[in-house]
Amino acid sequence: MTVYGSGTTFSGVAYGSSRIAAGKVQQILHWPGSMETFRKVPTCLLYDERGQVLAWGLEAKNTKPVPGSIKCEWFKLFLEPHALGDQSTVDPRLPPLPPGKKAIHLIVDFLYCMWEYAREQITREIGAVSDLDSADVWLTVPAAWDARGCDMMREAAITAGLVRSIGARDRDWRDRLHIITEPEAAAVHCAHLTDLHRLKPSQIFMICDAGGGTVDLAVYQILGQLATLEIAEMCARSGANCGSLFLDLRFRELVRTLLVDHPAHLDAASLAYFMHSFSETEKLTYRGEIDDGFMFNFTCFNVEDPDDPQVGLVNGELSIPGNLLRREVFDPVVNQALELIEEQMKKVNQRIDALLLVGGFSGSGYLFKRVEELFGGRVRVIARPSDADTATARGAAQYGLARRPLVSSVVAPRSYMMKVKLPAEREDFMKRPAYVSVNNAGVPICENRLQYLVAKGAILRKGQKIKTKFCKYSQTQHDRVFVATMYTSDVDKIMRYTDEGETVELCKWTVDIGSLPSFQENANMPAQNGFYTDFELGLELDGAEVRGILLYEEREWGRVVFDMLS
């Protein structure tokens, strides 16, 4: 079993087997381009002018610019939902893609290079020829990605050869590739450390996966006993492009602003040198207000034009005051991450017992300090677990080694109901007589009734269909559309009517039942008083979306995706 933590800025590989190191998760630490050990390498590619890969990872990142070559980074951000829906929403600060290539082509190239090396390295490290062609492969993706982005990532991984057929009888080889969200994988890693964070069954914890490109949030509840670990997702995952990369981009813009009259320091090599110096030192060691009066010095790449004290150029160094760094670089990004956490807590509307920060950006002392200041009074445990920077890869590996779904359930964050017409009962005549009328078949019907599909707090298995029977009256064969109005509610009480004031209309679900065999049979035998069609509507929940399903005799006849749970 192999796991790819393919991040926006850095990527890593973990692997494990019950036959290797007593089932403990291993990581690849040796990479091309360095004699040192690294748990992750830059998600970076270097192309020649013909679009062929010259280098990847450390070698691509550290190679000096070569005429005609193109260095590509951060291309995973092109697959986030807004960018897929509208290319004009792509952050203009991101480097352009090579001519004739799309982001998915770069992802395929990077996954292929990393996989080919990983195959050799895993075989070398375990000292035997491993049967990697038959191994399960887990690939992590950001929480905010929708089904389209995940599907594209899956196809890229298959194209890159992460899984492949090992023979004519191997018909299900594609199923060996599994997609898992980054906070879900991190949650598994953190839940294995429950002793460290003093978490107990039924308690709730939030994962803040602060990475290079994105900050992803998800909330989980521990179910059952820790010996047979199982966790349930509490509400919709959320995320935004406010990872540590955006500190780099804001720093670059600040340098451009300060040195606008000194073009010798604004060429590509100079800006890259400034950004590298910032990324390797100040980005993680910056402390916040305590550094406001401190001057941060960055050596210039070019020796020309070494002095202009008015903008901070002194003896070939650019000096930037700490308060300027905080205002222009750190606070805008950190504040966005804090707002995400605040919004996620409002969604849960329950006490959070622990807030666990993982990902490379979680190593920022300033981010951690701000989180403690803002949420320390509300959350008992705020911690950065061990191996926080590789928590997603290690958690995904632990998930795979468990050979059972660890994040197997969803706790419904609110109730989901449908507005229906039901045969009137005595209570309806007493409470809502205005809603009662007689239909064409002569049956008293009460309108504006609520039928619950899922009650708030219900624990549902992922993929579980919550089914409810419906019956539509059709006067003619053309009357084939059933319009279901979906409502949600955040209150615990069960309501009977739509006017009870504590419901919110989610959407109108138009269901065409014309394809159902029972409808077609009745439509071909028209009755004077019309006819009824029985069917079922189902609801599926996971941490990303709500899916509505049309069912008849246990067979699926249609499907629609509603808005996110948020």
Side-chain angles (χ1 to χ4, degrees):
M1 182 273 304
T2 308
V3 172
Y4 274 77
S6 179
T8 303
T9 54
F10 286 89
S11 298
V13 176
Y15 62 95
S17 167
S18 58
R19 302 190 301 268
I20 302 172
K24 292 182 179 180
V25 175
Q26 309 293 305
Q27 285 186 263
I28 292 181
L29 301 175
H30 299 278
W31 300 96
S34 177
M35 297 298 290
E36 299 179 53
T37 58
F38 296 93
R39 298 198 288 190
K40 290 184 177 182
V41 292
T43 307
C44 183
L45 288 165
L46 187 70
Y47 288 96
D48 64 17
E49 65 273 8
R50 297 170 299 166
Q52 300 297 310
V53 176
L54 293 173
W56 65 279
L58 288 165
E59 291 180 331
K61 181 73 173 180
N62 297 331
T63 298
K64 293 181 180 179
V66 178
S69 67
I70 304 174
K71 184 180 291 186
C72 299
E73 299 180 271
W74 316 326
F75 41 83
K76 194 176 172 183
L77 291 174
F78 285 84
L79 262 62
E80 63 96 18
H82 294 298
L84 285 176
D86 182 3
Q87 285 295 309
S88 67
T89 64
V90 173
D91 195 310
R93 295 171 297 180
L94 297 180
L97 299 172
K101 286 189 178 288
K102 298 180 179 179
I104 198 67
H105 299 144
L106 276 66
I107 290 172
V108 169
D109 287 344
F110 187 81
L111 289 177
Y112 173 80
C113 292
M114 202 171 191
W115 175 235
E116 289 301 304
Y117 177 79
R119 286 170 59 90
E120 298 176 6
Q121 193 67 12
I122 292 172
T123 300
R124 186 180 303 117
E125 289 182 1
I126 66 175
V129 177
S130 54
D131 190 11
L132 291 177
D133 285 340
S134 62
D136 283 293
V137 176
W138 294 72
L139 194 62
T140 62
V141 298
W145 277 20
D146 58 13
R148 183 183 175 192
C150 292
D151 288 343
M152 291 178 70
M153 196 69 171
R154 172 181 289 277
E155 289 305 311
I158 290 173
T159 303
L162 271 64
V163 292
R164 59 189 72 177
S165 174
I166 57 175
R169 295 183 179 180
D170 187 18
R171 298 175 182 174
D172 300 325
W173 59 273
R174 290 178 179 84
D175 294 340
R176 290 198 292 272
L177 179 67
H178 310 272
I179 302 291
I180 184 172
T181 66
E182 290 161 0
E184 189 172 356
V188 172
H189 175 67
C190 293
H192 274 84
L193 305 173
T194 47
D195 289 343
L196 174 65
H197 307 301
R198 301 183 296 281
L199 289 175
K200 301 174 183 177
S202 81
Q203 289 191 320
I204 298 170
F205 66 98
M206 179 187 290
I207 294 293
C208 174
D209 183 6
T214 60
V215 172
D216 296 317
L217 297 166
V219 180
Y220 300 93
Q221 183 176 30
I222 297 175
L223 303 178
Q225 300 301 312
L226 298 182
T228 55
L229 178 66
E230 186 178 344
I231 56 181
E233 198 162 355
M234 288 289 292
C235 70
R237 303 181 292 259
S238 62
N241 292 346
C242 55
S244 62
L245 160 65
F246 293 90
L247 295 176
D248 297 341
L249 296 179
R250 293 192 69 89
F251 177 76
R252 184 176 67 184
E253 293 305 309
L254 176 60
V255 170
R256 280 178 170 159
T257 301
L258 293 173
L259 301 180
V260 65
D261 294 325
H262 300 271
H265 301 298
L266 295 181
D267 60 285
S270 294
L271 288 173
Y273 193 74
F274 280 129
M275 286 180 67
H276 177 77
S277 177
F278 170 75
S279 182
E280 291 297 311
T281 53
E282 278 71 17
K283 187 161 74 171
L284 292 182
T285 60
Y286 178 78
R287 298 174 297 172
E289 292 89 341
I290 195 173
D291 286 334
D292 274 1
F294 186 76
M295 298 299 291
F296 291 83
N297 299 314
F298 303 92
T299 303
C300 299
F301 182 74
N302 286 330
V303 294
E304 306 169 22
D305 192 11
D307 291 290
D308 183 352
Q310 287 190 332
V311 298
L313 273 177
V314 180
N315 294 328
E317 286 188 333
L318 176 62
S319 296
I320 303 178
N323 62 340
L324 186 60
L325 276 179
R326 180 166 60 83
R327 188 180 73 234
E328 298 297 329
V329 177
F330 285 95
D331 276 355
V333 178
V334 170
N335 287 342
Q336 190 176 354
L338 297 176
E339 289 168 8
L340 274 177
I341 297 173
E342 187 69 65
E343 287 300 313
Q344 192 75 0
M345 286 192 169
K346 289 178 181 177
K347 289 181 192 176
V348 179
N349 197 27
Q350 294 187 51
R351 189 184 75 180
I352 303 293
D353 296 292
L355 171 54
L356 307 178
L357 284 78
V358 301
F361 192 15
S362 72
S364 164
Y366 183 50
L367 173 63
F368 193 82
K369 172 177 171 253
R370 293 286 306 279
V371 169
E372 283 192 314
E373 289 174 349
L374 190 58
F375 303 106
R378 289 179 273 170
V379 182
R380 180 173 58 86
V381 175
I382 297 177
R384 193 165 42 219
S386 60
D387 300 315
D389 59 329
T390 57
T392 55
R394 298 182 72 86
Q398 289 160 333
Y399 203 123
L401 288 171
R403 295 195 173 276
R404 62 183 178 87
L406 300 178
V407 186
S408 58
S409 304
V410 179
V411 179
R414 51 184 57 86
S415 296
Y416 291 86
M417 308 89 78
M418 194 174 290
K419 184 172 87 169
V420 294
K421 298 177 183 179
L422 293 174
E425 299 174 354
R426 183 178 180 183
E427 184 178 352
D428 302 317
F429 284 100
M430 294 175 60
K431 292 183 175 179
R432 299 291 192 280
Y435 288 174
V436 178
S437 61
V438 178
N439 69 4
N440 293 332
V443 178
I445 297 295
C446 181
E447 300 191 29
N448 300 319
R449 283 283 305 276
L450 289 174
Q451 184 143 332
Y452 277 70
L453 300 177
V454 178
K456 179 182 177 182
I459 299 177
L460 310 175
R461 292 285 173 182
K462 286 193 174 183
Q464 177 184 351
K465 295 182 180 69
I466 308 300
K467 297 180 289 187
T468 304
K469 292 183 178 180
F470 288 89
C471 182
K472 173 175 167 55
Y473 171 77
S474 301
Q475 194 155 15
T476 70
Q477 61 181 350
H478 303 294
D479 186 9
R480 55 188 285 172
V481 173
F482 178 84
V483 179
T485 305
M486 299 284 295
Y487 286 84
T488 65
S489 174
D490 290 321
V491 300
D492 294 319
K493 76 173 186 177
I494 301 297
M495 292 168 286
R496 186 176 179 89
Y497 306 101
T498 59
D499 64 356
E500 294 188 40
E502 297 177 272
T503 60
V504 176
E505 183 175 324
L506 175 66
C507 66
K508 284 185 168 61
W509 178 14
T510 302
V511 182
D512 186 349
I513 64 171
S515 61
L516 299 182
S518 59
F519 179 91
Q520 293 179 352
E521 182 179 341
N522 288 322
N524 291 329
M525 299 173 58
Q528 184 176 356
N529 294 325
F531 57 91
Y532 288 91
T533 303
D534 294 316
F535 58 95
E536 288 182 310
L537 292 180
L539 211 64
E540 282 183 357
L541 277 74
D542 66 20
E545 60 193 15
V546 183
R547 294 177 290 273
I549 305 163
L550 172 62
L551 298 158
Y552 179 73
E553 293 185 345
E554 300 299 322
R555 180 182 165 190
E556 184 176 317
W557 289 82
R559 169 177 290 246
V560 65
V561 176
F562 301 131
D563 287 339
M564 305 284 277
L565 294 179
S566 55

